[in-house]
Amino acid sequence: MNRLLSGLFWISLCLILAFITLPLLVVVAASLSPSSTVTFSPADWTMKWYAALWASKWLDPFILSAKIAVIVSLVSGVLGALGAYAIAYEKCPGSEAIMAFLLSPLAVPQIVKGVAIVIFLSSAGLYALLGTPGLIAAHIVLTLPFAARMIATSIYNFDKNLDRAAQILGASKWQRIRHVLLPLIKPGVFSGMTFAFIISFNNIPLSVFLVRPGQTTLPITVINYMEYSLDPVLAAVNVASLIFILATIFLFEKLGGFSAQIHGGSK
Amino acid sequence: MNDIDIELICVRKTYGNNLVVNDINLAIPKGEFVSLLGPSGCGKTTTLNMIAGFQEPTGGEIRIRGRNQAGVPPEKRNIGLVFQNYALFPHMTVAENVGFGLKMKGTPRAEIEQTVRTALKSVHLEGLEARYPKELSGGQQQRTALARAIAPRPSVLLLDEPLSNLDLKLREAMRVELKEIQQQLGMTFVYVTHDQEEAMAMSDRVVVMSGGVITQEDKPEHIYNAPRTSFVADFIGKSNIFAVSLRPAADDRQEIVINGSSIALAIAADQPKVATAKFCCIRPEDVRVVGNDVSAKDANVLDGTICKTVNLGAHLDLWIAVDRDIMIKALVRSSRSNQLKVGNPVSISIAPAAIRLLAE
């Protein structure tokens, strides 16, 4: 019986992994194919679509998206950590309600949110903010709840006895935050920032309302390009962004060590 | 040498209507090893937390080194605390953990290193400086926590059931070691525990608490030999406790009658006078099982039947029924287990001096 269950477990696990990764393999193959039809013969493979990416048509949106994602991730990390500290550590009045409120943006469709932000900015006369500043602000609104909740979770898991131990050893409040709390919730902060980065970098539904012509983010550029042509350069863009995101996750992991969350926080 | 390190004056703590600590008075001289002993919920941990400053007393005053501590936060009290779960910083090595207190005070690095080395040496942890807490055994974590608490040289060290997570062998070894460390450092130790053996083994003075008040405070041997209440007699060691009444006997002496029976026992003349004695306490090791050869000089001889025996290795626990409802526990050497079988009739003798009267 147990053997049957574990067999079923492994089979379903493999199926799920295949379902996730196989489409990616097709995209990779497509990005290497010489023509619009996807070929799987390595002899014919070409790097010309990747070479085509090295043009301002693709590079500018990539740089804009990366810039926005970095800012959004940093701001979400800092604001999220401050908010989570007030909510989860100091248990400020109404902390439960704020925590619940932080979930609410997840319940509003992003399209609705995008429209709302555009209407708000234009009716307030803030046309100057449409475009990149608006994009950054809108992305932060979207990612902050994720970051705050992740950091709050790591603060809830923080053993308050450690704070008391530091306190009785003579550490002031600031020293306790700096030397005990922050190092121990660092993995939570970095995983929150990673989420913010990925959500911002890949975002379409919010960005589509806020980009300015000539200043589009990478996903929006891809969408626009798709309206007129469907060639393997799109596959190459996707593979390139995938590699970029994986590299970012790897970098954040190195800095923050979220895997440390799994084995106790000391590496 | 009458320096008082910690003084509690009429300290009380209430949570809502719940009175947890009720007007405690206690003075702990410098360099003394004091145990706060009691069952869970007796207020001992609350008392410790108030000394540490994590909880403010509802009433009364706490003085450390003569100074009132009202409003002084824990980080300014300059005392050490060893936590029950050790509370080691998981992201720091053993050396960083032990040096933490000094680092926070801005001590120069070379001095920290020197002090950490000394502290680790005194708890026998040399060579583990670079390990992380999760790479240590329970006993090593315990020693690290101790080294961390003593490294900044506080004058007072509070210990909150520090040995309760260790296995028996280690716990017994650590008792001896803790006492040695305390004597070497000349530090005042306030040790909270529910384990009476621990308290007896290490303390200069045991403070027995129950229901938020101090029931008795005395040297360990006095607590054991001269408990003042039936709670203390029952909590510290094993004892036979009976509700009794006093009555005059021949030669101007007094004897006691165990309530609800006809058993009368002579008591020693020099027994401290307890005018309103309600209970008596007899330690099991003071109950002499004389078998069948009773001699005339044996006092307080009672006949009974063995109901139950428990072999404790070196000793044998006997439950002896001497009257319908009166059961007396006795402790004898287990070498006698051949003669003392369940169902055997035996005679026991209790020396009058071994019977202690209790007022409550």
Side-chain angles (χ1 to χ4, degrees):
Chain A
M1 190 61 201
N2 256 343
R3 184 172 285 191
L4 183 71
L5 274 180
S6 91
L8 274 175
F9 168 77
W10 283 108
I11 290 168
S12 40
L13 186 70
C14 289
L15 283 176
I16 290 169
L17 285 177
F19 186 72
I20 294 172
T21 49
L22 283 180
L24 289 176
L25 291 180
V26 175
V27 173
V28 172
S31 74
L32 296 166
S33 303
S35 68
S36 322
T37 51
V38 178
T39 57
F40 288 96
S41 54
D44 301 333
W45 281 357
T46 165
M47 291 299 283
K48 66 176 173 178
W49 307 115
Y50 286 94
L53 295 182
W54 202 258
S56 70
K57 180 182 178 176
W58 295 110
L59 275 181
D60 288 352
F62 167 77
I63 290 166
L64 180 68
S65 276
K67 220 193 281 175
I68 291 173
V70 166
I71 295 171
V72 166
S73 141
L74 287 175
V75 174
S76 294
V78 173
L79 289 184
L82 291 174
Y85 177 80
I87 295 164
Y89 197 82
E90 297 291 348
K91 303 247 167 26
C92 64
S95 60
E96 309 259 319
I98 298 173
M99 207 61 192
F101 178 72
L102 278 178
L103 260 184
S104 63
L106 306 179
V108 180
Q110 288 188 40
I111 305 253
V112 175
K113 215 182 297 175
V115 173
I117 290 171
V118 172
I119 293 174
F120 169 76
L121 288 179
S122 39
S123 60
L126 298 166
Y127 300 106
L129 290 181
L130 288 167
T132 309
L135 266 176
I136 292 172
H139 283 190
I140 290 171
V141 169
L142 180 67
T143 57
L144 193 55
F146 286 96
R149 284 195 75 91
M150 280 199 164
I151 300 166
T153 306
S154 62
I155 291 178
Y156 284 131
N157 290 332
F158 174 77
D159 177 8
K160 283 239 168 166
N161 262 334
L162 297 178
D163 185 68
R164 298 169 121 215
Q167 194 175 9
I168 203 76
L169 285 165
S172 66
K173 178 138 205 146
W174 171 241
Q175 285 177 319
R176 267 145 40 214
I177 292 174
R178 156 100 178 65
H179 294 287
V180 181
L181 181 67
L182 272 183
L184 288 174
I185 64 162
K186 194 172 82 174
V189 175
F190 273 87
S191 55
M193 284 171 68
T194 312
F195 259 78
F197 187 94
I198 296 169
I199 291 169
S200 166
F201 190 81
N202 285 334
N203 186 273
I204 295 171
L206 264 184
S207 305
V208 83
F209 292 98
L210 289 156
V211 289
R212 281 195 160 163
Q215 262 194 337
T216 54
T217 61
L218 190 61
I220 304 296
T221 314
V222 169
I223 294 257
N224 289 343
Y225 189 84
M226 257 164 64
E227 280 188 44
Y228 304 104
S229 45
L230 200 67
D231 58 42
V233 84
L234 288 174
V237 170
N238 277 323
V239 173
S241 3
L242 181 71
I243 290 167
F244 175 68
I245 285 175
L246 287 178
T248 310
I249 294 175
F250 181 77
L251 177 74
F252 273 118
E253 212 291 319
K254 271 275 160 255
L255 290 173
F258 359 115
S259 64
Q261 257 173 329
I262 300 154
H263 59 78
S266 53
K267 236 180 143 181
Chain B
M1 276 314 289
N2 243 347
D3 280 354
I4 302 293
D5 240 346
I6 299 177
E7 205 172 356
L8 308 184
I9 304 159
C10 271
V11 171
R12 75 162 46 217
K13 179 76 186 174
T14 52
Y15 293 110
N17 287 329
N18 202 356
L19 185 60
V20 185
V21 173
N22 188 1
D23 290 343
I24 278 188
N25 287 292
L26 184 64
I28 302 171
K30 201 168 171 38
E32 198 176 55
F33 195 130
V34 175
S35 290
L36 301 183
L37 174 66
S40 53
C42 72
K44 58 190 194 297
T45 301
T46 307
T47 306
L48 187 89
N49 280 333
M50 287 193 289
I51 298 174
F54 293 124
Q55 284 167 354
E56 278 288 317
T58 318
E61 197 179 310
I62 293 174
R63 290 187 194 158
I64 297 177
R65 294 173 292 270
R67 221 182 284 141
N68 185 0
Q69 297 293 307
V72 179
E75 61 265 36
K76 295 252 157 57
R77 292 196 178 193
N78 194 26
I79 51 184
L81 174 55
V82 179
F83 290 79
Q84 182 171 9
N85 68 352
Y86 318 139
L88 296 173
F89 305 123
H91 59 298
M92 295 183 201
T93 61
V94 168
E96 285 166 342
N97 263 289
V98 176
F100 185 83
L102 295 167
K103 191 178 162 194
M104 293 302 108
K105 290 188 177 77
T107 313
R109 180 175 292 221
E111 199 184 321
I112 295 180
E113 273 172 24
Q114 178 61 39
T115 315
V116 167
R117 213 172 303 131
T118 322
L120 286 178
K121 198 170 170 194
S122 66
V123 298
H124 310 296
L125 273 186
E126 301 104 319
L128 297 180
E129 286 85 352
R131 296 262 188 100
Y132 282 97
K134 68 173 167 70
E135 299 165 335
L136 301 176
S137 69
Q140 290 167 335
Q141 289 183 13
Q142 217 289 317
R143 286 156 199 266
T144 310
L146 184 61
R148 183 179 68 177
I150 61 176
R153 284 298 182 137
S155 68
V156 177
L157 188 67
L158 311 175
L159 302 102
D160 186 7
E161 312 223 5
L163 305 184
S164 58
N165 291 340
L166 303 179
D167 58 55
L168 183 66
K169 265 270 180 313
L170 196 53
R171 204 154 65 214
E172 285 178 349
M174 280 304 289
R175 274 181 208 161
V176 181
E177 238 174 81
L178 264 180
K179 180 73 185 165
E180 279 172 9
I181 290 169
Q182 187 259 342
Q183 282 170 340
Q184 270 168 24
L185 299 174
M187 231 176 242
T188 311
F189 272 35
V190 181
Y191 191 97
V192 162
T193 181
H194 64 265
D195 183 327
Q196 41 109 2
E197 273 186 37
E198 257 173 38
M200 302 286 285
M202 293 185 288
S203 317
D204 299 317
R205 192 150 56 111
V206 177
V207 177
V208 185
M209 290 181 72
S210 122
V213 296
I214 294 175
T215 328
Q216 189 170 355
E217 56 167 296
D218 216 328
K219 288 181 180 155
E221 58 270 29
H222 288 175
I223 294 262
Y224 186 81
N225 291 326
R228 211 174 293 143
T229 68
S230 52
F231 170 79
V232 176
D234 192 35
F235 192 71
I236 313 288
K238 291 175 179 163
S239 53
N240 295 290
I241 296 172
F242 300 109
V244 295
S245 318
L246 276 172
R247 78 172 183 206
D251 322 333
D252 232 11
R253 310 234 321 243
Q254 282 201 309
E255 60 182 19
I256 52 169
V257 179
I258 296 177
N259 290 354
S261 77
S262 54
I263 298 170
L265 298 169
I267 55 172
D270 60 347
Q271 171 81 238
K273 285 282 171 287
V274 182
T276 56
K278 291 205 187 87
F279 298 96
C280 80
C281 154
I282 304 160
R283 295 294 184 190
E285 64 269 26
D286 292 332
V287 175
R288 220 156 58 76
V289 179
V290 288
N292 297 321
D293 34 81
V294 182
S295 76
K297 63 179 195 297
D298 288 326
N300 291 332
V301 176
L302 302 170
D303 295 321
T305 320
I306 298 172
C307 284
K308 191 161 89 169
T309 64
V310 176
N311 197 335
L312 301 174
H315 291 97
L316 201 61
D317 249 347
L318 297 180
W319 272 257
I320 298 158
V322 289
D323 200 356
R324 268 194 320 271
D325 310 318
I326 308 294
M327 191 76 78
I328 292 184
K329 283 170 276 179
L331 193 69
V332 298
R333 298 184 62 81
S334 49
S335 51
R336 298 175 63 188
S337 62
N338 281 339
Q339 305 129 22
L340 304 169
K341 296 268 187 237
V342 174
N344 284 8
V346 284
S347 294
I348 57 173
S349 158
I350 301 162
I355 301 171
R356 186 149 290 276
L357 299 183
L358 307 167
E360 53 182 284

